[in-house]
Amino acid sequence: PQTIFRKDYTPPSYLVHTVELGFDLDPARTIVANRVTLSRNPASKSKDLVLHGEEIDLVALRMNGKTLAPGQYVLGSHTLTIPKAPAEVTLEIETLCAPELNTTLSGLYVSNGSFYTQCEAEGFRRITYFPDRPDVMAKYTVMLRADKQRYPVLLSNGNLLEQGDLDGGRHYAKWEDPFKKPSYLFALVAARLVCQEETYTLKSGREVLLQVWVEEGNLDKTDYAMQSLKNSIRWDEERFGLELDLDRFMIVAVGDFNMGAMENKGLNIFNTKFVLANPRVATDIDYAGIEAVVGHEYFHNWTGNRVTCRDWFQLSLKEGLTVFRDQEFSADMIGTASGRAVTRIDQVRTLRQAQFPEDAGPMAHPVRPDSFVEINNFYTVTVYEKGAEVVRMYQTLLGREGFRKGMDLYFQRHDEQAVQCDDFRAAMADANGRDLAQFERWYSQAGTPVVTASTRYDAAAQTYDITLSQRCPDTPGQTGKLPFHIPVAVGLLGADGKDMALALDGEVVGATTAVLELKEAEQTFRFTSVREQPVPSILRDFSAPVVLEYPYTDAELLHLFRYDSDAVNRWEAGQRLAMARLLKLTAAVAQGATLALDDTFIAAQRAVLVDETLDAAFRELALVLPSETIIAEQMEVVDPHAIHAARQFMRRTIARELAPELLAQYQANQTPGPYSPDAQSAGKRGLKNLALAYLLIDPGSAELKLAQRQFEQATNMTDRAAALSALIHSGEDVRASLQSFYDDFAGEALVVDKWFAMQGAAPNTDVAAVRKLMQHPAFTLKNPNRARSLLFSFCNANPSQFHAKDGSAYDFWAEHVIALDALNPQVAARLARSMDRWRRYAPALQDQMRAALERVARAAPLSNDVMEVVSKALA
Ligand code: B3K
Ligand code: ZN
């Protein structure tokens, strides 16, 4: 496989003006006629017209009205080149493809008998020959023809121009997208679907048609997606002054989909998981996911579609920015400061759970990568979530207003262009008259920076010095990192727990949080007029995606855990208290020493649990211990079994010591009445169900009854699934409950996914049990959601079983990476990532992991996707 480098970018040799596509849709044999006008790009030296194409058969090719003879073009394995083409070209290209055989779910494919497309990143070339790169933007007209009975609904981007009947039971629809777009935003749907629709009035008074399309039988699950869409439209108008630019906006849900959703212009195609919800089948987390993803795809209409990426190395230009926008949207929808903090804590957890490990592993890459083999492997937590952190740092440094000015300038300069991350940074800098040159390192240097703080209080001078230093570990291909520009938000707490008024070098800050700008390897900041020794609250609101090292004492952490006005750092103090103990316990397990947990820690947990002044959602977060994955990241040599035992011991001890309080909270946080997914109710359910999970660790008959009753009487999926999960984790025989759950929801694919996922992640599910579950008639590797529900939850969320000492689960992993690769390389490559951190395990496990990786690497044929992941892991 070939590595592609960012530095090798060259402009396209030809630019496309118009694209007219004609589809004769047939599952076995779809004919695509493509009439495209191009002209030579003055910015390119080449006169060779290069088109991409994959898995399609060329039937006819005409240039400027004349059929091209075989000698006039070169058909490579993935390209069609017309050497020395004229300056102005009209191409007519006819190709054939077989959507029903397309299991990759990239390009044009069939799901449950209907047609859907997925073109990002490079799927359009599986539909027709085309310069399939994001810096080629053109206007599209699309004619769809298909059997009317089987495919009554024919959709594509933009506006419907006309539709009607054809001979032989077929019909047609003609669509036109008024905006220029790159090919990756093309979409079509030809399906048997129904929709919920509504006309919606924009702030400007213009009316638009909104539609949510689903399969028959799912119309009772579209309300929340529609509501989220309307909220998104309103929010983007209010927060960023961005209006929907189309008369019609459609969301289509499909059951077979590689990721969450896709922002095709005017025709977003979604994984059903992020559309379908009603209280019976969807949990609070599902509802939150729908709001976020509907928002995310809608916001792409400006950040991604109107302004797109010059090349795929710039992916975070649209993804990091759009994740930031959806994060802010979700936070604003909750509205309260404490609710906002809860969403922020969730973001920090995701970073630590997934992004920090990626940044420290073999696939580490900068937010703007320098090279890749397969671009689909770079839709990562680094590009998305760390990318969003980078965007958030602009807002932290420039303020909300300054950030908005930067956004306005970005659109002023680059509307309908394909640009680079540097252009976004320039807009932020220029709009605010700021020098953000050093900030570029956030895009170019991989790895998680470590910020070390030390402090010195001088009582006589009433000064408090904070010295911050930074370093960043080497990552594959990158050594000797240069200092980042890091905003470090700091507050100082007095002995009374209150925030001190702040002055820096004699200058009043005017707020109780100061944003220190760390730009050197080491810098000292002096707070003045500090009347007593403070407790520092550093990196408030997680102001930068870094690891903060500070030698906090337990007493200081307890103080912060009790008083910090910054909820993120308040939570963080609790996590630090827990982590220190978890690491000690893990060592004790490994040494066979006796395990003990101090009363101070228990008392702190108790205090938060019963603190009625705190949101239930915050209390829940404060009581969730760092995950086994996050604990593993803190260890030099990872012993997954010791980690599991240590964490279980801590959970068991908390459950025993806080049993009465947990029961009281379980009862106090019931949410009677009709289900509502709002943050407050969801927070209560979260705390209640956390209490239930604790109560079921070593359950007596009363606790079992409690869970059983909730399981049977629940009026919503959040409570039902939580009860079932608690029962599964209790270790009792729960076969009857599992069966009844399955029987009740066998017709709801997304619930069946949960059923598999819960079992895959349960620590008493070993690899033999997973193999047995795979024999279940409802299991299939072909559907990505189903494959993920069992395999990914086992390989990623069940570390004590995945790392079984005999290596049997590694064999299982290798077998299924290979099996999935034959069907769907993108999904297979994700599963391949489960082995990323193999070098950190104890030698006995390491050897077996390497053997499994080598087994995959040797398999033939292997996709570029999986090849890239395993070869980087082994390098
Ligand atoms: N842009 C798409 C992701 C496409 C992934 C291709 N492998 C979804 C999103 O980020 O909104
Ligand atoms: Zn996106």
Side-chain angles (χ1 to χ4, degrees):
Q2 205 196 325
T3 302
I4 301 159
F5 294 91
R6 181 167 62 90
K7 63 174 168 44
D8 292 342
Y9 172 86
T10 53
S13 54
Y14 279 75
L15 298 174
V16 179
H17 307 291
T18 58
V19 185
E20 291 161 80
L21 291 168
F23 286 84
D24 281 290
L25 291 160
D26 181 288
R29 209 186 126 84
T30 288
I31 306 169
V32 182
N34 173 10
R35 186 165 188 278
V36 51
T37 60
L38 312 97
S39 18
R40 211 179 278 152
N41 182 4
S44 165
K45 281 176 230 128
S46 169
K47 292 182 179 173
D48 295 348
L49 204 178
V50 184
L51 309 175
H52 303 104
E54 256 178 64
E55 308 278 318
I56 47 178
D57 291 331
L58 184 63
V59 177
L61 177 61
R62 280 182 296 279
M63 181 164 74
N64 295 340
K66 292 200 194 81
T67 297
L68 284 184
Q72 293 175 288
Y73 63 92
V74 186
L75 206 51
S77 63
H78 290 117
T79 52
L80 189 168
T81 308
I82 304 172
K84 303 209 178 50
E88 301 292 327
V89 177
T90 300
L91 284 180
E92 290 164 275
I93 309 164
E94 205 177 296
T95 51
L96 268 179
C97 60
E100 70 182 5
L101 300 181
N102 181 3
T103 58
T104 66
L105 311 187
S106 162
L108 176 63
Y109 65 93
V110 173
S111 170
N112 200 18
S114 291
F115 295 97
Y116 302 87
T117 54
Q118 170 56 37
C119 290
E120 188 178 0
E122 297 177 337
F124 193 68
R125 63 188 64 182
R126 302 169 62 93
I127 296 175
T128 183
Y129 282 100
F130 198 78
D132 188 14
R133 38 187 291 170
D135 55 353
V136 173
M137 297 171 83
K139 281 200 177 177
Y140 286 64
T141 322
V142 178
M143 170 66 101
L144 303 173
R145 285 178 289 262
D147 186 88
K148 191 174 180 178
Q149 281 272 288
R150 290 169 69 186
Y151 315 106
V153 176
L154 303 175
L155 309 174
S156 191
N157 315 86
N159 299 315
L160 180 63
L161 294 184
E162 57 174 292
Q163 59 184 333
D165 289 341
L166 296 167
D167 291 345
R170 293 173 75 79
H171 70 149
Y172 75 93
K174 191 172 182 188
W175 293 81
E176 178 187 63
D177 184 346
F179 292 95
K180 289 203 309 181
K181 67 166 173 286
S183 51
Y184 81 86
L185 290 174
F186 166 80
L188 75 79
V189 171
R192 170 169 292 287
L193 298 173
V194 288
C195 83
Q196 174 176 352
E197 66 180 349
E198 191 164 323
T199 51
Y200 179 80
T201 309
L202 303 178
K203 250 170 110 178
S204 65
R206 193 159 61 79
E207 292 206 328
V208 293
L209 175 64
L210 308 179
Q211 296 180 318
V212 179
W213 292 91
V214 297
E215 284 181 1
E216 249 161 62
N218 281 330
L219 264 187
D220 61 338
K221 304 187 192 77
T222 51
D223 283 351
Y224 199 69
M226 178 61 91
Q227 187 56 50
S228 299
L229 178 58
K230 290 187 285 183
N231 291 344
S232 304
I233 295 173
R234 182 53 38 92
W235 182 85
D236 220 9
E237 290 178 332
E238 280 171 3
R239 177 87 181 257
F240 288 109
L242 297 171
E243 183 180 79
L244 176 57
D245 56 8
L246 293 162
D247 297 329
R248 179 176 181 145
F249 193 90
M250 299 170 278
I251 288 177
V252 177
V254 57
D256 295 288
F257 205 68
N258 280 347
M259 58 278 164
M262 179 63 212
E263 69 263 25
N264 316 300
K265 186 80 186 186
L267 179 58
N268 289 354
I269 299 182
F270 272 60
N271 189 324
T272 44
K273 179 171 166 55
F274 293 107
V275 176
L276 303 181
N278 66 26
R280 183 172 171 269
V281 299
T283 62
D284 294 331
I285 291 172
D286 295 327
Y287 276 89
I290 289 167
E291 178 176 82
V293 178
V294 168
H296 182 95
E297 306 311 330
Y298 176 75
F299 303 141
H300 266 316
N301 192 49
W302 280 94
T303 51
N305 302 3
R306 285 289 284 258
V307 182
T308 195
C309 302
R310 187 193 72 166
D311 54 75
W312 291 121
F313 298 103
Q314 317 296 328
L315 182 58
S316 198
L317 173 74
K318 74 175 177 82
E319 294 305 347
L321 176 53
T322 305
V323 171
F324 170 73
R325 277 153 54 70
D326 85 55
Q327 290 175 348
E328 288 291 275
F329 166 61
S330 295
D332 285 346
M333 283 298 111
I334 301 178
T336 62
S338 55
R340 181 168 267 279
V342 164
T343 66
R344 188 70 188 130
I345 291 167
D346 247 346
Q347 293 153 17
V348 177
R349 289 212 298 189
T350 303
L351 283 169
R352 289 195 180 139
Q353 176 76 20
Q355 202 279 322
F356 286 12
E358 178 166 276
D359 235 353
M363 278 288 287
H365 53 277
V367 164
R368 181 193 57 204
D370 289 318
S371 67
F372 57 73
V373 172
E374 172 51 64
I375 181 56
N376 286 317
N377 283 334
F378 287 81
Y379 286 75
T380 57
V381 270
T382 298
V383 166
Y384 275 65
E385 273 71 22
K386 185 176 182 178
E389 293 299 311
V390 170
V391 173
R392 181 175 296 275
M393 285 190 286
Y394 289 111
Q395 185 171 274
T396 305
L397 290 166
L398 305 171
R400 260 203 202 204
E401 275 177 39
F403 184 78
R404 170 66 195 269
K405 277 196 217 155
M407 287 285 278
D408 290 350
L409 185 59
Y410 176 64
F411 292 115
Q412 237 173 63
R413 284 180 175 174
H414 301 300
D415 192 15
E416 298 202 83
Q417 294 176 13
V419 302
Q420 302 182 64
C421 297
D422 283 342
D423 296 308
F424 185 79
R425 185 167 52 88
M428 286 292 153
D430 296 349
N432 290 281
R434 287 279 297 254
D435 177 0
L436 293 173
Q438 190 186 347
F439 198 82
E440 195 265 344
R441 291 177 192 154
W442 283 112
Y443 292 97
S444 58
Q445 298 187 142
T448 308
V450 181
V451 172
T452 305
S454 62
T455 55
R456 204 178 137 267
Y457 180 58
D458 183 334
Q462 301 207 336
T463 59
Y464 187 66
D465 289 352
I466 297 192
T467 299
L468 299 173
S469 65
Q470 57 168 309
R471 62 178 197 274
C472 183
D474 292 347
T475 46
Q478 281 193 342
T479 55
K481 317 270 164 116
L482 299 167
F484 292 86
H485 181 176
I486 307 178
V488 182
V490 174
L492 303 179
L493 273 69
D496 59 359
K498 296 217 171 79
D499 278 321
M500 298 179 170
L502 300 181
L504 272 166
D505 288 321
E507 291 235 13
V508 172
V509 172
T512 51
T513 299
V515 178
L516 309 178
E517 294 192 30
L518 174 62
K519 299 174 89 168
E520 313 292 327
E522 184 176 305
Q523 260 167 280
T524 298
F525 302 86
R526 171 158 294 177
F527 289 94
T528 49
S529 313
V530 182
R531 292 195 171 74
E532 55 172 319
Q533 166 89 45
V535 177
S537 172
I538 310 173
L539 207 70
R540 279 187 160 176
D541 204 39
F542 203 66
S543 60
V546 302
V547 171
L548 172 69
E549 288 180 346
Y550 180 73
Y552 279 116
T553 63
D554 261 11
E556 288 171 322
L557 289 174
L558 290 164
H559 195 66
L560 293 171
F561 195 40
R562 178 140 177 223
Y563 295 116
D564 202 331
S565 65
D566 182 81
V568 174
N569 264 1
R570 190 166 178 185
W571 166 80
E572 177 73 346
Q575 296 293 295
R576 282 177 190 267
L577 287 165
M579 183 61 83
R581 285 156 179 80
L582 285 162
L583 291 174
K584 271 193 203 143
L585 287 167
T586 302
V589 171
Q591 290 153 11
T594 37
L595 307 183
L597 190 57
D598 54 299
D599 295 340
T600 326
F601 179 73
I602 300 281
Q605 295 267 310
R606 176 184 290 114
V608 168
L609 175 61
V610 303
D611 187 342
E612 302 288 340
T613 67
L614 293 169
D615 281 357
F618 178 84
R619 286 188 277 157
E620 185 213 343
L621 286 171
L623 288 164
V624 174
L625 304 177
S627 72
E628 291 175 29
T629 303
I630 292 179
I631 302 167
E633 286 298 311
Q634 314 303 310
M635 297 177 63
E636 212 58 60
V637 178
V638 180
D639 178 346
H641 308 286
I643 291 173
H644 180 69
R647 191 171 182 275
Q648 277 304 103
F649 170 80
M650 189 183 261
R651 282 168 44 82
R652 180 164 280 125
T653 311
I654 292 171
R656 192 181 57 235
E657 298 294 326
L658 301 186
E661 291 86 353
L662 287 164
L663 186 60
Q665 291 301 324
Y666 178 80
Q667 275 145 358
N669 286 283
Q670 299 291 331
T671 48
Y675 171 88
S676 153
D678 71 89
Q680 251 220 315
S681 316
K684 284 187 168 195
R685 279 187 291 271
L687 181 58
K688 173 189 71 180
N689 288 323
L690 177 83
L692 182 67
Y694 268 118
L695 292 168
L696 275 255
I697 289 177
D698 276 318
S701 62
E703 286 78 19
L704 282 169
K705 240 186 238 148
L706 207 62
Q708 199 62 42
R709 196 174 60 217
Q710 177 170 324
F711 176 66
E712 283 157 16
Q713 295 176 2
T715 56
N716 62 73
M717 182 50 73
T718 306
D719 286 340
R720 193 178 310 276
L724 181 57
S725 168
L727 285 165
I728 294 173
H729 284 252
S730 74
E732 301 286 318
D733 181 356
V734 291
R735 279 174 294 184
S737 304
L738 277 168
Q739 189 59 45
S740 85
F741 185 90
Y742 183 82
D743 293 342
D744 285 349
F745 295 100
E748 298 286 353
L750 296 169
V751 183
V752 174
D753 290 340
K754 294 183 203 306
W755 185 80
F756 279 112
M758 267 188 250
Q759 297 179 75
N764 49 2
T765 302
D766 60 11
V767 72
V770 175
R771 284 187 189 276
K772 194 163 162 231
L773 275 167
M774 288 183 72
Q775 299 305 312
H776 192 282
F779 188 79
T780 168
L781 280 182
K782 288 196 180 136
N783 174 259
N785 286 356
R786 193 58 48 88
R788 283 187 281 255
S789 71
L790 184 56
L791 303 187
F792 288 44
S793 67
F794 178 69
C795 296
N796 299 337
N798 196 352
S800 65
Q801 292 290 359
F802 182 61
H803 297 284
K805 291 189 176 133
D806 63 0
S808 53
Y810 304 148
D811 288 339
F812 171 84
W813 167 87
E815 195 181 316
H816 290 97
V817 170
I818 295 167
L820 265 173
D821 197 39
L823 295 168
N824 188 328
Q826 286 186 40
V827 176
R830 295 290 157 143
L831 184 62
R833 297 285 310 270
S834 304
M835 250 357 152
D836 266 15
R837 302 296 271 146
W838 70 278
R839 283 181 202 276
R840 294 169 46 89
Y841 288 81
L845 293 178
Q846 243 189 61
D847 290 346
Q848 303 184 84
M849 292 169 99
R850 183 198 288 113
L853 278 161
E854 283 168 347
R855 176 175 163 198
V856 173
R858 273 197 313 270
L862 204 59
S863 67
N864 284 349
D865 308 59
V866 170
M867 180 66 91
E868 178 173 32
V869 171
V870 295
S871 57
K872 284 183 174 168
L874 287 166

